[in-house]
Amino acid sequence: MLRPTRIYGPHSKTFTVRPLQAIARGQFAIAGDSGVPANMVYVDHVVEAIARAIEAPEASLAAYLVSDPEQVSLREFYEHFARAAGLTVGSAPAVVRADGGDHPGLGTRWLSGFRSIATSPELRGIVRKVIQTDPIGTWPRRLWDKSPEFQQKMLRRFGADAAVVYRPAASGGDDRLVYDGEAARVSIAKAERELGFQPLADRERAMALTLAWAKYARLLG
């Protein structure tokens, strides 16, 4: 199993198209500490990791994080694109926890625990087996396939569709796109060691290629 971090590059809606369009409108901001690691991975590097995994059948039952070894901060990453268009990246207040404290409350910890279980590869394997087994999986399979809204709701509920937190628009007409990153730095040592994963381009080259495509696609105006 490959677990890529924030995939950027041509056609990446979440980490390239949407934020660059918001930057062009002056509506993009980073919440809290903008100096956290970007934890980005160029799309070609994800493809390379897939190729390495295919060639390493002995590692087929393991899970590997996939990211770029060279990282900058979340702000530095998006400022690279903003500067090219003479624009800036905004800032937003840090996310305030529901319990009002600096540390998660009991309810938050329980929810986090349930989410950890629900998104674990072990439970996903069981669910996949149930869905693929007839007649038990017939109804769940139909519900899942015919209800895109239900799919997205469940993915969002358990954090399976996002690597950053999208803050809802604040009252008063603030329609900015706000990203809130995590302080952790992702390690790809296991993928390098066991899969022989090595990026095809350095960070500067990958970001330059992304910028060239963004200009071609007129994302920055």
Side-chain angles (χ1 to χ4, degrees), residues 23-88:
I23 287 173
R25 299 191 304 266
Q27 296 176 334
F28 180 78
I30 298 174
D33 183 4
S34 61
V36 297
N39 285 324
M40 296 287 179
V41 57
Y42 187 53
V43 60
D44 286 9
H45 299 161
V46 177
V47 176
E48 175 66 11
I50 294 173
R52 297 286 72 78
I54 291 174
E55 296 174 355
E58 70 278 2
S60 60
L61 296 180
Y64 299 89
L65 293 170
V66 179
S67 187
D68 286 350
E70 300 177 86
Q71 293 290 334
V72 293
S73 71
L74 193 58
R75 173 169 293 279
E76 289 172 326
F77 180 84
Y78 284 113
E79 280 186 342
H80 172 82
F81 301 100
R83 283 196 305 269
L87 302 170
T88 59

Side-chain angles (χ1 to χ4, degrees), residues 87-173:
L87 302 170
T88 59
V89 173
S91 299
V95 175
V96 178
R97 298 187 183 277
D99 61 0
D102 295 330
H103 301 285
L106 180 60
T108 301
R109 295 199 301 271
W110 270 92
L111 179 60
S112 177
F114 280 122
R115 183 180 292 114
S116 178
I117 294 172
T119 57
S120 67
E122 294 83 4
L123 183 58
R124 285 201 298 266
I126 294 174
V127 172
R128 187 180 299 110
K129 182 64 176 178
V130 170
I131 291 177
Q132 294 174 350
T133 302
D134 290 329
I136 300 174
T138 302
W139 181 81
R141 192 164 57 243
R142 289 177 180 174
L143 176 63
W144 185 260
D145 292 339
K146 293 183 178 181
S147 304
E149 296 83 2
F150 175 75
Q151 292 182 27
Q152 292 302 314
K153 180 179 179 180
M154 295 305 295
L155 289 172
R156 285 195 299 269
R157 175 67 61 85
F158 294 106
D161 66 335
V164 294
V165 176
Y166 301 103
R167 294 184 59 200
S171 59

Side-chain angles (χ1 to χ4, degrees), residues 7-30 40 42 74-90 166 176-179 206-221:
I7 303 175
Y8 77 97
H11 304 289
S12 168
K13 291 184 179 180
T14 304
F15 300 110
T16 303
V17 176
R18 289 184 63 204
L20 296 195
Q21 288 175 332
I23 287 173
R25 299 191 304 266
Q27 296 176 334
F28 180 78
I30 298 174
M40 296 287 179
Y42 187 53
L74 193 58
R75 173 169 293 279
E76 289 172 326
F77 180 84
Y78 284 113
E79 280 186 342
H80 172 82
F81 301 100
R83 283 196 305 269
L87 302 170
T88 59
V89 173
Y166 301 103
R176 291 181 299 172
L177 178 63
V178 181
Y179 278 9
M207 292 177 68
L209 290 171
T210 302
L211 177 58
W213 175 81
K215 290 180 177 179
Y216 172 79
R218 300 180 179 179
L219 298 180
L220 292 168

